Amino acid sequence: MSRTILRRTGAAVALATASALVLAACGGTSEATDAGSSDAAAATSLADFGTLADLEAAAKAEGQLNVIALPRDWANYGEIIDLFTERYPEITVNEQSPDVSSAEEIQAAETNEGLDTAPDVFDLGLAVALQNTDRFAPYQVQTWDDIPDALKEATGLFVGDYGGYMSVGYDSARFPEPAGLEDLLGAEYRGAVAINGDPTQAGAAFAAVGLATVQSGGELDDFQPGIDFFGDLNAAGNMLKLDVTSATVASGETPVVFDWDYLNATHAESVPTWKTVVFPGTGYAGYYNQAINRDAPNPAAARLWQEFLYSDEVQNLWLAGGARPARMQAMLAAGTLDEALAAKLPEAPAETVVPTEEQSTAAGTLLGEKWAAAVQ
């Protein structure tokens, strides 16, 4: 499963601070021609509907919600979707293409524009979000003020929701614990190390190169050290060119994996000897972003979904999935954070970085030019 995620440096500061504190579907066409749909599509906050009950009524009248790229084993999305369905049985959740990348989410919106199969909402990385802001509808949830400024576009076009640290997961019954990048170049890891996707398309893979860059002593202004590391890993015969999924980990096909810590941690359910390590020194963090399709066929349901995701209950469900919710600090202060779950999170690295928007753009360009040749 590959997803796309990039995030500005301020988000990493928020993530590290919070951690330290607490150690498809139907066919046909659909056009928003009725007044209700038009009003919902123009709503930028709950105030435009009146009350939450009014928004719920409008969403129930639509009766559908199209989500895309939400694997059920990704950061607890299965439980989150099931809770929404239980709470709103009048709304059918259409789970479309769970394993596609952020870039493919946008492609799906373009391909299905004007159809009732178009995604209502997106779950995206920063790079893709920044490139497609003209496709989003601005919306600020009730809990907007609790979300750090570094995690949200000012008008609500896209908003960070949950995040974590880049890590290495491994089957401890087959491999020793790597203390750092250089260990993975050793003969004992031959044909064993995978990254989650193509870094020119998938954010977890992009972040793996970013982690390799800073762990190699490089800076995020230039991802070349990270590319060089994976070139060396490939030359050593240690790099596996398989897209990582729960199934490939469970089967042993991908026994050593660069991925987000909350995703790596879930593999212990199928592989009891699976362990996850966040390397000491400089860490690499990131958040995924929520956004509403400006042409959502179900605009009220799309906005209800956003309100639901940023509620106390669902923010705690991200914690249950091993991820760090965007409202973590505010909920801790308010006493609504599940501190028992928060205490189970891996300790944050001493220093945390993620690329700025400019750095991520430059890194994407460099990867497009250099990655394929480095690992061919």
Side-chain angles (χ1 to χ4, degrees), residues 206-298:
F206 180 103
V209 181
L211 176 66
T213 294
V214 297
Q215 287 276 320
S216 298
E219 302 289 339
L220 294 183
D221 290 325
D222 181 6
F223 267 39
Q224 189 62 52
I227 296 173
D228 291 342
F229 167 78
F230 282 104
D232 292 343
L233 189 74
N234 186 59
N238 292 6
M239 188 169 176
L240 269 175
K241 298 171 185 175
L242 292 176
D243 196 10
V244 178
T245 68
S246 296
T248 64
V249 172
S251 68
E253 293 175 86
T254 54
V256 182
V257 175
F258 279 88
D259 211 341
W260 298 110
D261 57 352
Y262 54 89
L263 299 181
N264 261 327
T266 63
H267 298 315
E269 296 179 9
S270 59
V271 182
T273 51
W274 189 266
K275 293 185 179 180
T276 300
V277 58
V278 175
F279 290 144
T282 303
Y284 187 111
Y287 275 83
Y288 279 86
N289 299 272
Q290 304 294 338
I292 296 172
N293 186 356
R294 73 170 186 219
D295 298 315
N298 305 291

Side-chain angles (χ1 to χ4, degrees), residues 151-169:
L151 293 183
K152 59 193 180 187
E153 191 277 330
T155 67
L157 287 174
F158 58 89
V159 186
D161 195 4
Y162 62 92
Y165 292 92
M166 183 49 47
S167 67
V168 172

